[in-house]
Amino acid sequence: MTLDKSFGWYALNVFFNRVTKLSSLLDEEQVEHYVPMRTVEVFKNGEKVYEKRQLIASLLFIKCPSSYFSRLKERFGDSFYVYSDRETSLPRRIPDSEMNSFQLVTSAEDRGMELLPDGSVDFSVGGHVRVVDGVFKGAEGYVKRIQGRKRLVVSIEGIAVVATSYIPKSFLEIIED
């Protein structure tokens, strides 16, 4: 795959529970992609087992040039759509910094992590911070008090918002905007 100026992260909404199938196709083509997962406890035959499940149903992130989507439609049909920019209707490129923080937080096996409804967090309340220690080291987001505990909220605008478990103040560094 050749690089072009639109090479970056994009979000796809995949229909009909076909995220795993699309992920396998992307693996075959050696296209970098990410499916947010979490480990959940379930009981099978009276025993507690842990399973990996999608954190956000139907969501898959792909790193590619925007021109790749027409090729992907040829191979995979109309079983997905690419999140678009509201003003231009072009595929919305996700900044690397947002994607890096989102991946870091959603892949950390944090049992206290919560998926929040998009638009449910007032970012003006908390400061923009970077985590400098602990399991989320390197992630950037906003501090928000949720259920009485200070948490890091990481957002990919218009797509997904997640909140970590409690983060001590000493693990945070304020980022001047």
Side-chain angles (χ1 to χ4, degrees):
M1 187 177 329
T2 59
L3 293 177
D4 70 19
K5 66 181 181 179
S6 63
F7 192 90
W9 283 103
Y10 297 91
L12 279 66
N13 185 343
V14 184
F15 307 126
F16 315 118
N17 294 322
R18 297 181 76 193
V19 170
T20 304
K21 187 173 181 180
L22 179 55
S23 182
S24 296
L25 175 76
L26 296 171
D27 283 338
E28 287 173 21
E29 294 192 358
Q30 299 180 337
V31 175
E32 187 176 356
H33 61 284
Y34 178 70
V35 178
M37 304 291 281
R38 72 169 147 196
T39 304
V40 294
E41 292 179 355
V42 292
F43 288 90
K44 289 188 176 180
N45 300 326
E47 288 190 34
K48 182 177 14 174
V49 294
Y50 296 92
E51 290 183 353
K52 286 272 194 188
R53 295 205 178 150
Q54 292 176 9
L55 175 64
I56 305 166
S58 304
L59 183 64
L60 180 139
F61 295 93
I62 182 172
K63 190 170 188 176
C64 65
S66 61
S67 59
Y68 179 72
F69 297 120
S70 58
R71 179 175 164 206
L72 191 58
K73 287 254 187 222
E74 289 173 10
R75 297 232 19 232
F76 204 69
D78 288 329
S79 297
F80 69 92
Y81 74 82
V82 182
Y83 285 87
S84 305
D85 183 278
R86 290 181 182 161
E87 294 175 13
T88 65
S89 296
L90 295 173
R92 182 183 175 278
R93 184 173 176 198
I94 300 167
D96 287 342
S97 59
E98 277 185 30
M99 194 63 205
N100 291 341
S101 290
F102 187 80
Q103 282 181 296
L104 201 148
V105 167
T106 57
S107 64
E109 294 297 327
D110 175 23
R111 292 191 188 266
M113 183 180 59
E114 275 185 72
L115 178 64
L116 302 174
D118 190 33
S120 67
V121 178
D122 179 7
F123 292 115
S124 64
V125 173
H128 189 197
V129 297
R130 177 181 301 112
V131 180
V132 295
D133 199 1
V135 68
F136 303 114
K137 184 177 181 177
E140 293 182 12
Y142 291 84
V143 174
K144 178 77 175 163
R145 193 168 291 278
I146 300 173
Q147 299 172 342
R149 307 202 86 193
K150 191 178 296 184
R151 298 169 69 178
L152 178 71
V153 175
V154 175
S155 168
I156 296 183
E157 186 182 333
I159 299 169
V161 180
V162 292
T164 66
S165 57
Y166 169 75
I167 295 186
K169 186 176 182 177
S170 61
F171 285 15
L172 303 174
E173 166 184 87
I174 294 174
I175 298 173
E176 302 296 329
D177 290 326

